[in-house]
Amino acid sequence: MKLSPLEEYGLRCLIQLARRGGVQPVTIRQISDGEGLSPAYVGKLMFLLQKADLVRSTRGVQGGYVLARPAREMTLNEVFQALDPGALEDVCGKFTGNNGAACVHDGSCSIKAVWKGLSERINGYLERVSVADLAQAPQLQEA
Amino acid sequence: MKLSPLEEYGLRCLIQLARRGGVQPVTIRQISDGEGLSPAYVGKLMFLLQKADLVRSTRGVQGGYVLARPAREMTLNEVFQALDPGALEDVCGKFTGNNGAACVHDGSCSIKAVWKGLSERINGYLERVSVADLAQAPQLQEA
DNA sequence: GACATACTATACAAAAAAGTCTTGATTATC
DNA sequence: GATAATCAAGACTTTTTTGTATAGTATGTC
């Protein structure tokens, strides 16, 4: 039950974009300097975020990245989904044990029900927190 | 934002113990057969669960494992903590980037506040679900 | 239109985690 | 008290994930 590095760092990059927040694109170099990450790694993160339509890129000399939408309308749920696809989903499909393709609990699977309830809770919380919340306040959000 | 295999499988083993629930110890072989896992792997899981005082073992011929406490008093929070220590904690200590030992956001770290809020939410939910809830009902718990 | 800047995409290496194996210790039964 | 059953603990291998490197494409400026 934890955040992956991709989720953590990707989120930070988005927050930095939101903070610099102008119309002027922010370059990978600027982001990587600001966050203490390698340019190559930031490139990969931005690639993932762009595929999920969270950032928009401009190439060439004055190029860089801007948020694709206002930070206020960008939820943590979307962000994590983009950076670690299929995380909170399909538990019974992933963990099947060695008995073959099907879950040994097939039919009366209680784990599935619990996990569903749990993931709904978590996603519910993540949907109520926007990137703007994080970008603006150093204080705890009581969303 | 996902469960690790250890958390998933370890939880299942506990549920199985709760279901068989007698005074008679359940052997590793029985658990591994029931869950479709290798005996060696179940051994490792039970080792972790015992260190956390969630199960109690008896050696020798009629040995095996029993729950250390009633399943009703055993929360998912404890279980996950036992199987993946330090998961929902200390994010800023773990992900520091390349700028050295300290988080580049030191001082005005908004991520830390957010993550704190998030982990409190999740733990709050996990504390309200017991192993007994999962062992008994195939339906969704609205805890 | 050549060149430098900057993103795009994939292949590769390194690190972490998962899962297996082996050796050892303990206990009931005969 | 010898034997078979069963857990204990750590070393080892395999797989997955993370992070890096590299080759390629687009664009603004001179």
Side-chain angles (χ1 to χ4, degrees):
Chain A
M1 199 77 255
K2 64 172 65 159
L3 276 194
S4 73
L6 264 69
E7 289 171 318
E8 167 76 17
Y9 290 131
L11 175 58
R12 290 193 192 178
C13 292
L14 279 181
I15 289 174
Q16 207 181 133
L17 279 191
R19 281 184 175 153
R20 296 181 185 255
V23 190
Q24 182 76 354
V26 183
T27 165
I28 283 183
R29 184 103 237 160
Q30 291 176 297
I31 299 175
S32 69
D33 282 353
E35 217 60 49
L37 301 170
S38 79
Y41 191 37
V42 172
K44 185 179 196 169
L45 292 170
M46 299 315 281
F47 178 55
L48 291 170
L49 291 172
Q50 168 163 304
K51 277 204 303 184
D53 213 41
L54 293 172
V55 301
R56 201 166 298 285
S57 70
T58 341
R59 289 182 167 190
V61 172
Q62 299 237 325
Y65 293 92
V66 288
L67 293 182
R69 284 175 278 144
R72 176 63 56 193
E73 301 166 14
M74 202 175 278
T75 73
L76 289 196
N77 203 28
E78 294 176 280
V79 175
F80 292 159
Q81 182 67 27
L83 294 161
D84 197 354
L88 280 179
E89 289 172 5
D90 193 25
V91 195
C92 280
K94 270 190 304 198
F95 301 114
T96 55
N98 299 327
N99 273 353
C103 177
V104 291
H105 289 117
D106 202 32
S108 67
C109 180
S110 60
I111 305 273
K112 184 185 280 181
V114 163
W115 186 237
K116 188 163 175 292
L118 178 57
S119 60
E120 277 169 6
R121 281 292 178 113
I122 296 171
N123 285 333
Y125 176 64
L126 295 179
E127 265 163 24
R128 288 197 299 278
V129 182
S130 77
V131 172
D133 292 329
L134 314 196
Q136 287 167 8
Q139 287 81 24
L140 172 62
Q141 298 299 318
E142 218 22 88
Chain B
M1 200 75 256
K2 65 172 63 157
L3 275 194
S4 73
L6 264 65
E7 289 171 319
E8 167 76 17
Y9 289 131
L11 175 58
R12 289 193 192 179
C13 292
L14 278 181
I15 289 173
Q16 208 183 133
L17 279 192
R19 282 184 174 153
R20 297 182 186 253
V23 190
Q24 182 75 353
V26 183
T27 165
I28 285 184
R29 183 104 237 160
Q30 290 175 297
I31 299 174
S32 68
D33 283 352
E35 216 60 48
L37 301 170
S38 79
Y41 191 37
V42 172
K44 186 179 196 170
L45 291 170
M46 298 314 282
F47 178 57
L48 290 171
L49 292 171
Q50 168 162 303
K51 276 203 305 183
D53 213 40
L54 293 171
V55 300
R56 201 165 298 286
S57 72
T58 340
R59 289 184 168 188
V61 171
Q62 299 237 324
Y65 293 92
V66 289
L67 293 183
R69 285 176 278 145
R72 177 62 57 195
E73 300 166 16
M74 203 175 277
T75 74
L76 288 197
N77 202 29
E78 295 176 279
V79 175
F80 291 159
Q81 182 68 26
L83 294 160
D84 197 353
L88 280 179
E89 288 171 6
D90 192 25
V91 195
C92 280
K94 272 189 303 197
F95 301 115
T96 56
N98 299 326
N99 273 353
C103 176
V104 291
H105 288 119
D106 201 31
S108 67
C109 181
S110 59
I111 307 273
K112 183 185 284 181
V114 163
W115 186 237
K116 187 161 174 293
L118 178 57
S119 59
E120 276 169 5
R121 280 292 178 111
I122 295 171
N123 285 334
Y125 176 64
L126 295 179
E127 265 164 22
R128 288 196 299 278
V129 183
S130 76
V131 172
D133 291 330
L134 314 196
Q136 286 167 9
Q139 286 81 22
L140 173 61
Q141 299 300 318
E142 215 24 86

